[in-house]
């Protein structure tokens, strides 16, 4: 559980930030800036529309659109996506399809939305036998987001920050070339 009124550093305790609800999302500009920073720093946001709430799903899509400056579009996650095929559980074996939507920068998924299947309902009801795909998809998503390794403890982060005690004595110039197309898919990597 993270607090949106903090500085946002606690978001990086995990690679996935889970947002669920049944009402349209309403975040302040400051809160959206923290969510944008989380995505740019390598995080993934998972949205779950409780009971298939259309207002939540639409507002989640619009929120992620604003966070990515509308550079990318949500699409139905294809059946051959690595989340479904490379990880532990194979989606091709699921009786119930989840209809997962995702948005990618061409390098990785930035956000995933489950607009109608509501896996949280299965989790709350402990419906492992009848809704196993709800559990399996989230396990696969976790493995995808963590690349199946480099798990950290709470409070540990992969984010590097400047140490004010160390003074720069050397510098290096780096050229970045802009071209037509997606020339800057991971802007947070340059920070």
């Amino acid at each position: 559980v993270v607090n949106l009124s903090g500085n946002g550093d606690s978001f990086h305790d995990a690679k996935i930030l889970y947002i669920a609800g049944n009402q349209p999302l309403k975040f302040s500009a400051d809160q959206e800036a923290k969510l944008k920073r989380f995505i740019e720093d390598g995080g993934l946001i998972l949205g779950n529309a409780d009971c298939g709430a259309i207002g939540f799903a639409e507002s989640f899509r619009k929120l992620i659109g604003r966070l990515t400056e509308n550079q990318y579009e949500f699409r139905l996650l294809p059946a051959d996506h690595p989340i479904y095929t490379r990880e532990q559980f194979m989606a091709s074996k699921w009786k119930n399809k989840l209809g997962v939507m995702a948005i990618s920068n061409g390098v990785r998924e930035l956000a995933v939305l489950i607009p109608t299947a509501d896996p949280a309902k299965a989790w709350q009801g402990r419906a492992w036998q009848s809704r196993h795909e709800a559990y399996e998809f989230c396990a696969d998503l976790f493995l995808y987001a963590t690349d199946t390794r480099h798990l950290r403890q709470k409070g540990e982060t992969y984010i590097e920050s400047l140490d004010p005690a160390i003074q720069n004595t050397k510098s290096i110039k780096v050229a970045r070339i802009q071209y037509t197309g997606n020339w800057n898919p991971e802007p947070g990597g340059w920070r």
Side-chain angles (χ1 to χ4, degrees), residues 2 4 30 73 76 94 106 116 122 124 163 170 176:
V2 295
L4 280 173
D30 180 59
E73 293 184 20
L76 189 61
W94 296 341
T116 58
Q124 289 285 354
D163 184 343
K170 297 180 182 180
R176 296 185 68 204

Side-chain angles (χ1 to χ4, degrees), residues 85-161:
T85 59
R86 187 185 77 172
E87 305 306 343
Q88 185 173 2
F89 300 103
M90 301 300 287
S92 60
K93 297 180 180 178
W94 296 341
K95 181 175 70 175
N96 301 312
K97 304 302 180 201
L98 299 178
V100 176
M101 306 290 294
I103 192 167
S104 172
N105 62 2
V107 176
R108 65 181 175 89
E109 299 303 329
L110 305 173
V112 173
L113 171 63
I114 306 171
T116 58
D118 194 2
K121 184 176 181 181
W123 304 334
Q124 289 285 354
R126 297 182 179 170
W128 169 250
Q129 296 298 324
S130 60
R131 295 280 317 277
H132 62 89
E133 68 281 348
Y135 293 83
E136 291 177 358
F137 171 75
C138 288
D140 283 347
L141 186 65
F142 172 77
L143 293 171
Y144 169 83
T146 61
D147 199 22
T148 66
R149 61 181 185 272
H150 306 298
L151 300 180
R152 294 175 313 279
Q153 299 296 319
K154 185 174 177 118
E156 292 179 345
T157 183
Y158 56 91
I159 303 298
E160 295 293 333
S161 57

